[in-house]
Amino acid sequence: MTNGIIMKGIGGFYYVKANGQTYECKARGIFRKEKIIPIIGDKVEIDIDLGVITKIHKRTNSLARPAVANIDNAIIVFAYKKPDPNFNLLDRFLVMIEKEDIHASICFNKMDMSDEVEMAEIKAIYRNTGYEIISASAKEKKGLDDFKAILKDRISVFAGPSGVGKSTLLNEIQPGLALQTGEISAKTKRGKHTTRHVELIELESGGMVLDTPGFTNLDVLEIEKEDLQHYFPEIDDLVGTCRFNGCNHMKEPGCAVKEKVEEGYISKERYESYKQIYLEIENKRRY
Ligand code: GDP
Ligand code: ZN
């Protein structure tokens, strides 16, 4: 038996990378019976002679649409400008990723459109969250080494709104990828299309990335409101230190989280996101 990783799946075939080669495999019938569907990123055992996946190793995590497993890092990409960062949206991405128990990093692109002061203000919103933040300009080829470094030796996925430069960044890192960018082709007058196959790509600089322009699934409403605090690392650190047991850090007196917001340890923006998402979940539960 040989161990490998599923790079893509098309029409019932899985392309498994093992020993530096790609093998076209089918899944064993037993998986279908057990309703287990192999997905990209699955670490599998294959029988090379038979061309079948014989075992799927336990997943550390997974995301849906597109389905991918064993993600080491989700990189949330936003732009410093054009489009201006929507912090509430960024925090929703972080919450979704925390919920799936996936490590997250943040990348702000288009640093060529901003200045030092503004960039520092934006990064300060994420103080004491523990998230690694990198700045880049795909256009001016800045920060690309930092970007390569966070991609190295891991399986990464991108999340973020369209237009922030995810495809441009990836193309800069690996020109051969030729991902469609937001620029409309003069020849065909068409913008990006979404019918391409999703697959894991091995980067020459090390690491693997899912070659999709990013996840947009933001189902924060599936979260229980009591759990939300755990998905904001800087709030999670304070759980149990409020005056009341079971404090939800909304209107309760003696709330350590609110104190830390006033002291500036937690940013107002992050606390606002927390409250907004909390109320949304609460309101949804009333129906
Ligand atoms: P995606 O939707 O996130 O994949 O974004 P794209 O890669 O398609 O980029 C959207 C637009 O932003 C395109 O017009 C890019 O040329 C432009 N863009 C990408 N990176 C930068 C950057 O670092 N600076 C500037 N000024 N523009 C950029
Ligand atoms: Zn509290």
Side-chain angles (χ1 to χ4, degrees):
M1 292 302 151
T2 307
N3 278 304
I5 177 163
I6 298 180
M7 305 296 282
K8 68 176 166 181
I10 302 172
F13 286 99
Y14 299 94
Y15 296 83
V16 178
K17 187 107 190 182
N19 308 330
Q21 294 202 54
T22 303
Y23 298 95
E24 187 184 77
C25 297
K26 287 220 151 214
R28 250 171 49 173
I30 182 92
F31 296 141
R32 216 173 315 126
K33 254 184 251 151
E34 291 174 355
K35 294 205 164 62
I36 303 168
I37 300 167
I39 60 177
I40 294 170
D42 264 331
K43 312 245 166 98
V44 295
E45 243 172 51
I46 57 171
D47 183 320
I48 292 175
D49 298 327
L50 296 175
V52 289
I53 296 171
T54 52
K55 185 175 177 182
I56 302 171
H57 294 291
K58 199 170 167 341
R59 293 169 187 156
T60 55
N61 58 43
S62 65
L63 284 175
R65 278 164 290 167
V68 55
N70 302 316
I71 302 153
D72 297 311
N73 195 24
I75 304 168
I76 304 181
V77 186
F78 273 71
Y80 278 116
K81 280 267 167 64
K82 288 200 175 177
D84 285 348
N86 173 339
F87 297 107
N88 190 273
L89 183 64
L90 204 168
D91 292 335
R92 278 158 193 272
F93 276 114
L94 287 170
V95 164
M96 170 191 96
I97 288 160
E98 290 288 340
K99 178 181 166 244
E100 302 303 329
D101 212 7
I102 298 170
H103 183 275
S105 309
I106 304 170
C107 172
F108 287 109
N109 186 36
K110 307 200 188 185
M111 62 189 291
D112 55 282
M113 304 188 90
S114 190
D115 58 54
E116 287 299 330
V117 174
E118 191 183 45
M119 291 196 292
E121 276 169 11
I122 288 175
K123 284 189 282 191
I125 293 172
Y126 294 90
R127 62 184 174 266
N128 303 316
T129 58
Y131 295 120
E132 182 180 7
I133 301 179
I134 59 168
S135 298
S137 166
K139 190 182 169 195
E140 293 187 344
K141 306 190 200 306
K142 284 192 184 140
L144 298 180
D145 287 340
D146 292 344
F147 200 60
K148 280 179 191 166
I150 61 166
L151 291 168
K152 211 167 158 45
D153 305 325
R154 301 160 146 185
I155 296 179
S156 305
V157 299
F158 293 96
S162 69
V164 297
K166 294 182 297 298
S167 320
T168 315
L169 274 169
L170 262 185
N171 285 335
E172 273 308 322
I173 285 187
Q174 188 137 320
L177 277 181
L179 286 188
Q180 294 261 331
T181 65
E183 266 152 21
I184 288 161
S185 152
K187 224 157 133 194
T188 61
K189 296 268 189 292
R190 269 183 306 181
K192 40 177 78 178
H193 54 87
T194 51
T195 49
R196 59 199 316 281
H197 269 291
V198 175
E199 64 182 294
L200 267 183
I201 306 269
E202 272 192 296
L203 297 170
E204 280 151 28
S205 50
M208 295 182 186
V209 290
L210 197 66
D211 74 332
T212 166
F215 286 82
T216 49
N217 177 4
L218 297 171
D219 221 349
V220 289
L221 295 177
E222 277 175 18
I223 293 169
E224 300 291 334
K225 66 180 196 286
E226 293 77 16
D227 289 335
L228 185 62
Q229 57 186 344
H230 303 305
Y231 306 138
F232 284 75
E234 72 275 47
I235 293 178
D236 190 38
D237 284 348
L238 299 170
V239 168
T241 65
C242 302
R243 186 183 303 161
F244 295 111
N245 258 342
C247 180
N248 280 311
H249 328 301
M250 295 295 285
K251 289 191 173 136
E252 297 93 335
C255 172
V257 171
K258 269 188 288 186
E259 246 165 58
K260 291 288 183 190
V261 174
E262 266 145 44
E263 283 171 21
Y265 179 86
I266 295 173
S267 74
K268 289 203 164 58
E269 289 86 352
R270 288 277 289 168
Y271 184 51
E272 276 310 311
S273 290
Y274 171 82
K275 285 195 292 186
Q276 248 184 55
I277 299 171
Y278 185 95
L279 289 175
E280 239 176 84
I281 298 169
E282 191 172 62
N283 288 332
K284 187 206 167 205
R285 292 290 137 102
R286 280 203 199 116
Y287 298 111

